[in-house]
Amino acid sequence: MNEDNFSSHPQEVKEREKLPPILTSSASRGTDRATKSHFTFSSFISTINQKKEAASSRNLASHLVKQNGKSVRELPPICPDVRQKQRLSIETLPPEMKAPIPPEPVIPIRTKTVKEFQEDMEKAKTSGDWTSVHDFYLTTFDSFLEVNAAFKKDANAPFNTIEDSGINTKFLNAVYDSILSTPPDTQKAVLKGIINSLLREWKGARTKDDLRAYFTLVQNPQYTSTSTYVIFAHLLRQIATLAEADHHFLVHWFKKLSQRRFKQLVDRLLQFISLRLFPAKSEELPPMGKCTWWNPSATKVLALLNAANSISNPPIIPFTDFYNLTLDHIDIMEEYNTWHSYGNSHRFSFCQFPFILSIAAKKTITQRDSEQQMISIARQSLVDKVSRRQRPDMTLLFLNIKVRRMHLVSDSLDELTRKRADLKKKLKVTFVGEAGLDMGGLTKEWFLLLIRQIFHADYGMFAYQMDSQCHWFSSLKCDNYSEFRLVGTLMGLAVYNSITLDIRFPPCCYKKLLSPPIVPCDQSTPVGIAAVSLDDLQLVMPELAHGLSELLAYEGNVEEDFYSTFQVFQEEFGILKSYNLKPGGDRIPVTNQNRKEYVQLYVDFLLNKSMYKQFAAFYYGFHSVCASNALMLLRPEEVEILVCGCPELDMHALQKVTQYEGYTKTDPTIRYFWDVVLGFPLELQKKLLHFTTGSDRVPVGGMVDLNFKIAKHEVSTDWLPISHTCFNQLCLPVYKTKKELKQKLTIAISNAEGFGME
């Protein structure tokens, strides 16, 4: 629709003049251009609908609006999780995916510089005459063409590359840094220009200048105000529905933003999603039923930023900065079930974009999914029993493990092997010869003792790396890898039963555990093979990684000075064995030209190939319990947190959330207790946590999730404190002095192993 046709409708002109009020901290001074009309969301949406109807009557496609508020096109999630392994490359895209490049229109020449703009701003602030500044903003944001004229480095250069957006970043930042300090009528003029641009009828594919305009407009700081959210939503929708090849350009351009600008844009999108879900005032935004596409559009644009962050090395911001904690308060299982049922099809779910879900939300999904599986398996066991006309037994509902302390590993391996069909039932542990009832405490102790024994150096299954203070899989060959499967099963049971373990694996272990996240149907498909790099090796064997880095940086003749080949050596049972990194490796010298290949193959050998059978058994053990689509939502770092909890203890936080039974927080004994505990070294604090909860790790939700309680124990002060690990409860006698309390508490927590009944 051309401008003449649009102008011929007075009612539409009147509607378009109505703009959102702008929240600004600027002084009241300004030009007399400011209008007094008030913006209504219905008027703006009505304007868009009218243009849509007019366009439809001429069979023209509208990319701005689609009936019933649905997105024009659903896109797959753009995120770094395990479901998307490939990285787009515009050079490798098939021809049908490459958007045709229409001819670029001639862009007018604008010559204003950063210095001239800043001088205009200073003059306006001093004189109160904002005419020059107003005219600049009015012209600059009037259309996509003018946006390019103002901010493109060279108006008529193509800049058709992912490496350079062609935007004069310094000038753009100066203009945006000043926009909120301009008078309200100037800010309204900017928004009006953006509306005009978004209402333009698109014919065919977008040009690179159009992409530059989107890249520029989405950074506008005016979108922090809810009064601009209708405009922001339509901008996001147009960006979200761009072609995949166009998204590829935007991802790489976003990657070039400074950390501060990048973080501001991420925060602005997260706030938009949060306020759409839970608006401060319901009348501020249109009814949810009329704009169900808002959050899908914002989330898809956020996915572009997440993709940009993931391909940056190092990442621009931590992955946790993409978490939207507001989503912890929605029905997350409904989101999960929608995604589980419909996948990445036309039904939007936040689970399609797991980077936005916090670890707490993912823990909830994992726990609920586990509980549902437990109930389903237990119900099936009962049905099978009844169908055979046998008396139901409550033990059928649980995975019952009976072990002897003196034969802990062998008994556990036998029990888990025999009861493999029951692994997805609720776990209960019994120590033979002990009267303890497992309400959770015995299970915690079983895990703790078993892990401690398995990882002992005498077992030879794992090698402790002193430099990195973590364990890694032994590459020694053996006939039976069942014990590695046992360790994987233990980790799976811990996650499945929401128990944290004191296991110190490097991050690449969890990356391998999710490669792939779902066990392949074809048993011949390799598992546990992850893309690893020198950075991964640095966290396992830092000294070796440093040596390889030195090799890559060496400026001399590598072949003559190092005299190495593509062959490496490992000691096994006192015998030095050789392995070729590639066919004929013993005859291929390492040179300046092929040293990168040598380093990559060596890292892959150490972290993947040399211990493939050991890790494959470990992988299958873990997934025999945790096989679930919920794993597809997790990053490797998040799996580690679910397995190990948070290693850092905050006893001050524990003090704030502790509950008391028989005591108050002001009682002398309680004051003595916290004075002593807060003064403990870390090792004793961990022992206290283990003594009272059965684990020295903090759960995902922090200390508040421990439900820690201190109860008064009405016994002689000669008694030591006791605990009920099933309920995270410490029973504390009424000690009269701090010295006595410290002595008795230290003895108790330093000698805590074994369960009995009084």
Side-chain angles (χ1 to χ4, degrees):
M1 180 181 292
N2 58 40
E3 190 63 27
D4 292 335
N5 288 341
F6 182 76
S7 301
S8 64
H9 300 284
Q11 179 60 32
E12 291 183 0
V13 173
K14 183 177 179 181
E15 292 291 347
R16 289 185 61 186
E17 291 295 326
K18 298 180 180 179
L19 293 168
I22 308 300
L23 300 180
T24 178
S25 58
S26 64
S28 59
R29 64 190 177 212
T31 66
D32 56 0
R33 290 186 183 86
T35 64
K36 302 297 182 181
S37 60
H38 294 287
F39 175 80
T40 62
F41 293 105
S42 60
S43 66
F44 179 67
I45 294 174
S46 173
T47 302
I48 295 175
N49 286 336
Q50 289 170 12
K51 290 188 71 65
K52 171 196 166 228
E53 291 167 3
S56 298
S57 66
R58 291 192 299 271
N59 296 320
L60 294 176
S62 170
H63 287 274
L64 185 60
V65 176
K66 193 174 182 181
Q67 290 183 353
N68 301 322
K70 293 183 180 178
S71 300
V72 173
R73 181 170 65 92
E74 293 290 339
L75 298 172
I78 301 175
C79 45
D81 71 357
V82 292
R83 288 174 293 140
Q84 281 204 327
K85 295 298 181 187
Q86 69 275 16
R87 293 279 180 238
L88 283 176
S89 172
I90 193 65
E91 290 79 14
T92 60
L93 285 174
E96 62 271 15
M97 285 185 63
K98 292 184 179 180
I101 302 177
E104 303 278 357
V106 178
I107 299 174
I109 304 298
R110 305 290 181 219
T111 59
K112 188 178 287 289
T113 65
V114 175
K115 184 178 180 181
E116 291 170 345
F117 172 76
Q118 291 173 338
E119 289 174 352
D120 288 346
M121 284 295 298
E122 288 301 319
K123 289 178 184 177
K125 290 177 181 178
T126 303
S127 65
D129 182 4
W130 291 85
T131 303
S132 176
V133 172
H134 180 93
D135 290 343
F136 168 78
Y137 276 106
L138 181 67
T139 302
T140 298
F141 291 94
D142 182 61
S143 67
F144 280 14
L145 202 65
E146 289 291 349
V147 167
N148 278 277
F151 299 118
K152 198 173 177 182
K153 294 175 186 176
D154 183 341
N156 293 310
F159 289 108
N160 292 330
T161 170
I162 61 174
E163 300 303 326
D164 187 0
S165 66
I167 294 294
N168 185 339
T169 304
K170 187 176 180 181
F171 188 29
L172 176 66
N173 292 342
V175 170
Y176 275 153
D177 287 343
S178 301
I179 195 170
L180 296 182
S181 61
T182 61
D185 67 317
T186 301
Q187 296 185 45
K188 289 181 180 180
V190 170
L191 292 173
K192 185 175 180 179
I194 295 173
I195 291 174
N196 288 334
S197 300
L198 297 179
L199 289 174
R200 170 187 167 189
E201 290 177 7
W202 294 100
K203 301 175 182 179
R206 306 294 201 271
T207 67
K208 293 300 176 288
D209 283 337
D210 294 333
L211 297 187
R212 263 181 283 278
Y214 284 128
F215 175 70
T216 300
L217 295 179
V218 79
Q219 298 179 55
N220 189 340
Q222 289 178 286
Y223 301 132
T224 54
S225 168
T226 55
S227 63
T228 64
Y229 273 13
V230 170
I231 303 171
F232 193 29
H234 283 279
L235 172 62
L236 296 176
R237 187 185 212 180
Q238 290 196 13
I239 295 174
T241 54
L242 289 171
E244 194 168 352
D246 293 336
H247 282 160
H248 179 64
F249 274 85
L250 288 177
V251 164
H252 284 271
W253 292 351
F254 284 138
K255 177 184 170 184
K256 304 293 184 182
L257 291 177
S258 69
Q259 184 185 49
R260 184 170 73 88
R261 305 283 175 180
F262 190 89
K263 180 70 163 60
Q264 287 175 343
L265 183 51
V266 169
D267 290 344
R268 203 173 295 137
L269 286 163
L270 291 174
Q271 176 183 291
F272 176 88
I273 293 169
S274 297
L275 291 178
R276 176 61 277 182
L277 288 171
F278 302 103
K281 298 178 182 177
S282 58
E283 64 273 11
E284 283 186 334
L285 300 176
M288 178 66 87
K290 293 186 177 180
C291 50
T292 55
W293 50 269
W294 279 29
N295 278 345
S297 299
T299 307
K300 289 170 186 175
V301 175
L302 194 62
L304 299 177
L305 291 162
N306 181 64
N309 193 58
S310 68
I311 63 175
S312 301
N313 189 20
I316 305 169
I317 59 177
F319 70 88
T320 53
D321 284 354
F322 284 90
Y323 286 168
N324 190 326
L325 301 183
T326 303
L327 301 182
D328 294 354
H329 305 285
I330 66 173
D331 187 348
I332 196 65
M333 289 310 295
E334 181 181 352
E335 296 288 324
Y336 175 70
N337 292 331
T338 298
W339 172 69
H340 193 268
S341 301
Y342 296 95
N344 297 327
S345 60
H346 301 293
R347 289 286 295 273
F348 172 79
S349 166
F350 284 111
C351 290
Q352 294 170 344
F353 305 89
F355 64 84
I356 200 173
L357 301 178
S358 72
I359 183 63
K362 291 172 183 174
K363 180 191 175 186
T364 299
I365 291 173
T366 305
Q367 281 184 330
R368 300 272 180 83
D369 191 56
S370 298
E371 290 167 1
Q372 290 171 4
Q373 290 186 53
M374 287 179 184
I375 293 170
S376 177
I377 297 293
R379 182 186 294 120
Q380 187 60 48
S381 296
L382 286 176
V383 169
D384 291 345
K385 197 79 170 178
V386 171
S387 66
R388 292 195 296 266
R389 299 187 177 182
Q390 297 174 343
R391 179 179 297 177
D393 185 350
M394 290 304 292
T395 58
L396 288 172
L397 304 179
F398 302 97
L399 168 60
N400 295 288
I401 302 293
K402 294 183 180 180
V403 293
R404 297 165 293 175
R405 285 186 183 274
M406 298 302 294
H407 304 84
L408 194 62
V409 175
S410 58
D411 284 1
S412 299
L413 182 58
D414 291 343
E415 285 282 271
L416 292 175
T417 302
R418 284 193 306 107
K419 300 176 179 178
R420 189 172 296 176
D422 295 334
L423 291 178
K424 293 202 171 189
K425 294 179 180 178
K426 179 71 175 175
L427 177 62
K428 282 194 178 296
V429 175
T430 302
F431 285 96
V432 176
E434 299 181 19
L437 296 177
D438 189 11
M439 301 297 289
L442 287 176
T443 296
K444 293 177 184 177
E445 190 187 20
W446 176 69
F447 274 113
L448 189 75
L449 298 178
L450 195 53
I451 291 297
R452 186 184 300 169
Q453 288 195 29
I454 287 174
F455 281 84
H456 196 277
D458 292 345
Y459 259 79
M461 293 176 60
F462 299 94
Y464 185 70
Q465 308 293 325
M466 292 296 295
D467 292 341
S468 58
Q469 296 185 339
C470 68
H471 288 93
W472 190 240
F473 293 77
S474 169
S475 59
L476 298 178
K477 305 298 183 289
C478 59
D479 297 328
N480 189 352
Y481 297 97
S482 59
E483 290 187 340
F484 287 99
R485 187 180 181 104
L486 169 63
V487 180
T489 303
L490 281 176
M491 273 185 53
L493 285 171
V495 173
Y496 196 67
N497 289 270
S498 303
I499 293 171
T500 56
L501 300 178
D502 186 13
I503 293 180
R504 293 179 176 86
F505 281 133
C508 66
C509 173
Y510 300 97
K511 186 192 298 187
K512 288 165 64 66
L513 205 55
L514 293 177
S515 302
I518 301 298
V519 178
C521 296
D522 184 358
Q523 293 297 310
S524 64
T525 304
V527 297
I529 301 293
V532 289
S533 66
L534 201 55
D535 292 336
D536 294 305
L537 186 65
Q538 177 71 33
L539 298 174
V540 184
M541 306 169 189
E543 189 174 343
L544 177 57
H546 177 72
L548 292 174
S549 298
E550 291 290 316
L551 173 64
L552 292 175
Y554 188 68
E555 296 181 356
N557 189 309
V558 171
E559 182 177 2
E560 293 181 359
D561 296 345
F562 285 84
Y563 200 67
S564 296
T565 64
F566 277 69
Q567 185 181 59
V568 294
F569 299 88
Q570 280 193 337
E571 185 177 339
E572 297 180 11
F573 301 110
I575 301 174
L576 201 62
K577 291 192 174 183
S578 62
Y579 297 91
N580 286 343
L581 297 179
K582 58 190 297 187
D586 57 326
R587 299 186 302 275
I588 302 174
V590 178
T591 66
N592 292 64
Q593 289 71 37
N594 64 17
R595 57 184 169 179
K596 286 186 179 179
E597 180 191 11
Y598 169 79
V599 169
Q600 183 56 45
L601 289 174
Y602 195 6
V603 171
D604 183 62
F605 172 78
L606 291 170
L607 301 183
N608 281 326
K609 294 179 180 176
S610 67
M611 30 69 75
Y612 174 76
K613 291 183 178 179
Q614 292 88 327
F615 196 90
F618 175 79
Y619 173 94
Y620 283 117
F622 179 82
H623 287 272
S624 67
V625 186
C626 281
S628 167
N629 284 332
L631 282 180
M632 297 175 68
L633 305 177
L634 298 171
R635 295 174 57 97
E637 301 92 333
E638 293 166 335
V639 176
E640 181 178 11
I641 293 174
L642 287 180
V643 171
C644 304
C646 303
E648 296 183 7
L649 303 186
D650 185 351
M651 302 310 282
H652 289 282
L654 181 62
Q655 181 182 10
K656 291 178 182 178
V657 299
T658 297
Q659 304 170 42
Y660 301 98
E661 187 177 295
Y663 282 119
T664 66
K665 62 182 179 181
T666 58
D667 287 340
T669 303
I670 297 301
R671 293 205 305 270
Y672 297 153
F673 173 82
W674 288 113
D675 286 346
V676 168
V677 170
L678 295 175
F680 271 161
L682 178 62
E683 194 58 37
L684 281 180
Q685 289 180 344
K686 285 190 172 185
K687 285 185 176 181
L688 171 65
L689 204 61
H690 170 231
F691 177 72
T692 52
T693 69
S695 171
D696 63 357
R697 312 287 284 190
V698 182
V700 173
M703 290 296 189
V704 68
D705 278 4
L706 281 177
N707 295 317
F708 185 69
K709 180 184 287 187
I710 300 178
K712 181 183 285 188
H713 198 196
E714 300 284 3
V715 295
S716 168
T717 54
D718 292 335
W719 281 51
L720 296 175
I722 63 173
S723 65
H724 301 298
T725 55
C726 309
F727 309 109
N728 297 341
Q729 185 179 61
L730 175 67
C731 298
L732 195 64
V734 187
Y735 297 115
K736 302 300 182 184
T737 66
K738 185 193 297 187
K739 181 179 179 181
E740 182 183 23
L741 185 146
K742 182 176 182 179
Q743 180 187 22
K744 297 290 175 60
L745 183 61
T746 303
I747 293 172
I749 65 178
S750 300
N751 298 274
E753 191 168 301
F755 282 75
M757 294 187 67
E758 301 172 9

